[in-house]
């Protein structure tokens, strides 16, 4: 479901994106093993999410759970990235469709 390409970012609120799952009705997004968001599935090939709160500089892990209409979940691999400095940099995307 996911593929991560970038490992270092200079933003505190990176845009995470992944390939959609045809069976998903919603997605739960996790950063550092904490659920940080839930979004409904839409009929697009790529889904995305940006955290509401800035991340601290350092290493972080993220993954997504795709949940179908019956409640069955499929969890992606975990991907790591490092926030190196978030001062005055534009938004950046992490992932690969």
């Amino acid at each position: 479901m996911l593929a991560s390409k970038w490992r270092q970012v200079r933003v505190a609120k990176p845009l995470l994106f992944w390939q959609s799952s045809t069976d998903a009705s919603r997605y739960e997004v996790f950063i550092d093993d904490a659920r940080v968001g839930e979004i409904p599935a839409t009929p697009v090939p790529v889904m995305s999410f940006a955290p509401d709160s800035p991340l601290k500089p350092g290493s972080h892990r993220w993954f997504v759970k795709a949940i179908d209409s019956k409640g069955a979940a499929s969890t992606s691999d975990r991907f790591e990235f490092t926030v190196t400095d978030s001062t005055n940099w534009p938004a950046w995307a992490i992932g690969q469709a």
Side-chain angles (χ1 to χ4, degrees):
M1 178 172 46
L2 294 177
S4 182
K5 187 174 182 179
W6 295 277
R7 299 279 187 225
Q8 258 187 350
V9 295
R10 291 187 172 193
V11 294
K13 293 164 87 173
L15 178 65
L16 309 173
F17 66 98
W18 61 93
Q19 262 185 325
S20 298
S21 172
T22 56
D23 297 333
S25 63
R26 64 186 169 97
Y27 298 94
E28 293 179 348
V29 182
F30 295 79
I31 298 177
D32 298 331
D33 295 321
R35 187 174 151 219
V36 295
E38 182 178 315
I39 57 174
T42 57
V44 296
V46 177
M47 299 296 299
S48 64
F49 175 84
D52 291 331
S53 300
L55 301 174
K56 294 181 180 182
S59 296
H60 300 278
R61 296 183 319 178
W62 71 286
F63 67 95
V64 173
K65 283 186 183 180
I67 301 168
D68 69 16
S69 61
K70 296 178 182 176
S74 173
T75 302
S76 72
D77 290 336
R78 293 170 192 260
F79 298 97
E80 295 185 19
F81 65 96
T82 301
V83 174
T84 57
D85 180 6
S86 60
T87 308
N88 297 321
W89 283 85
W92 194 256
I94 300 176
Q96 182 174 336

